[in-house]
Amino acid sequence: MIQQLNRCVVAAAIVAASVLVASAARAAEPITIGLGMALTGGLAAGGKSALLAMQIWRDNVNAKGGLMGRPVKLINYDDQSNPATVPGIYTKLLEVDKVDFIVSGYGTNLIAPAMPVAISHDRVFLGLFGLAVNSEFHYPKYFSMLPTGPDPKHAFAEPFFQVAMAANPKPKTLAILVEDSEFPKNASEGVHDIAKRDGIEIVYDKTYPPGTPDFTPIVHTIQSTRPDMVFVASYPPGSVGMLRAATESALKARFFGGGMVGLQFTPVKLQFGPKLNGVVNYDWWIPAPTMQFAGILDFLKEYQSKAGEAGVDPLGWYLPPFAYADLQVLGDAIEGAKSLDQNAVADYIRTHPFKTIVGDISFGKDGEWAKPRVLEVQWQNIKTTSLDEFKDAKTEVILEPAEYRTGSVIAPYNGGGE
């Protein structure tokens, strides 16, 4: 009898130990976050810097014990800056790698094709720099890391018009040039609406195909219409081509820029130097005294210490802070919900504010920021192509919004000269 009882006790102890070991093993398994990211192709300069920022977040979190006591692991694939690769990447992440969460790569064009995959798998999905991606899907588990607010198509262009329409006399004519792809077309919808509202005549309105090699004929045609304003919505290759043609052809307009992606990247700034002078363009963050949110300078110090070895943007003002904040939101939501359940995490994001290195964020309609914060900046008084010209905010002046303003506009634009 005693021997039988002892055998039962031993067996129960073995079962209990097995349960504890299994539970400990599960607790030690990493929480996996999957993404595609542009590491080659036209968006690679941004994608590589964003991935480095996300890796810094992962390392910082793991150094503090991970999330819910478990380490965090990133699984990423190169989307090649090609939207056609995206559905396959996210299907593999979810069905083969079986990641716990997904976040997007960089940019509207690479987020939009991932949306149907996220929706069909009922997953939380955070989009990094996607303009109005959810305006048609209205997917309740999508959240946007972009400060364009609940009306992104209009908010993106609004500050450019605010700067221009404050001039005396007010501008009367507008030329619009838009790349034929998702983000620029979304941006142009807002431009058309605002121009109509402000009584501005559109004298040129064209799209150009991605990969256009020479913008000189386009600039000459725009110049022949003699517009007061030129709004360009473009991805980095087009932005570089358009600015090069504008400076070589001495484009003249009172205001030029608006929605040119890529001019914010340090290597592009170093390429053009003084030729950036006078361009009025959007931005999301620069190290002006008005924008030094808690933690961002510490992040940039760490990022910049690793940028050289990683071969990425040496300053990292544009995309990296938001890539880091993107995972801050997800990580804080997982900890706040105390769960990996997609519904619980989505509900937490929807109903709680977040403190991030890019400021306080709350999410509203369609997962957009509840309050917009689109900067309109102008490059001024650049003398050389030295990195020293761009290490602080002295050559990049914030014009709008007023609460972050650091200077006044210089007009007209004169082909990069002042």
Side-chain angles (χ1 to χ4, degrees), residues 245-400:
T247 55
E248 291 175 353
S249 302
L251 174 67
K252 292 179 175 58
R254 292 174 65 189
F255 303 97
F256 168 69
M260 302 173 74
V261 180
L263 303 188
Q264 305 84 356
F265 297 153
T266 307
V268 175
K269 294 177 182 179
L270 297 178
Q271 177 182 341
F272 286 100
K275 294 178 180 179
L276 281 166
N277 284 330
V279 175
V280 175
N281 203 43
Y282 84 95
D283 210 329
W284 306 123
W285 184 86
I286 63 173
T290 54
M291 304 206 75
Q292 293 185 12
F293 307 113
I296 193 164
L297 297 183
D298 290 338
F299 161 75
L300 286 171
K301 183 178 180 180
E302 184 173 5
Y303 168 91
Q304 290 166 8
S305 72
K306 298 177 178 180
E309 183 179 350
V312 298
D313 187 313
L315 296 181
W317 297 352
Y318 178 64
L319 183 58
F322 291 87
Y324 189 96
D326 200 38
L327 295 188
Q328 275 189 300
V329 168
L330 179 59
D332 288 353
I334 292 169
E335 286 281 11
K338 296 179 174 56
S339 173
L340 301 185
D341 178 77
Q342 302 291 310
N343 290 325
V345 171
D347 287 344
Y348 191 93
I349 296 174
R350 198 178 298 113
T351 56
H352 289 77
F354 295 85
K355 290 190 175 300
T356 77
I357 63 169
V358 296
D360 295 346
I361 303 172
S362 296
F363 295 93
K365 178 186 175 185
D366 286 336
E368 302 286 353
W369 284 31
K371 180 182 178 182
R373 196 189 71 203
V374 182
L375 305 183
E376 206 67 25
V377 304
Q378 185 179 47
W379 287 280
Q380 300 178 357
N381 301 310
I382 302 169
K383 307 299 183 187
T384 72
T385 56
S386 166
L387 182 62
D388 289 338
E389 295 272 11
F390 302 102
K391 282 186 174 179
D392 57 38
K394 69 179 184 298
T395 57
E396 187 172 348
V397 173
I398 300 175
L399 307 173
E400 290 289 341

Side-chain angles (χ1 to χ4, degrees), residues 15-29 68-70:
V15 170
S18 299
V19 170
L20 288 173
V21 169
S23 298
R26 282 194 297 273
E29 290 177 1
M68 300 199 318
R70 294 168 58 179

Side-chain angles (χ1 to χ4, degrees), residues 18 32 124 193 230 342 386:
S18 299
T32 52
V124 171
D193 289 344
V230 180
Q342 302 291 310
S386 166

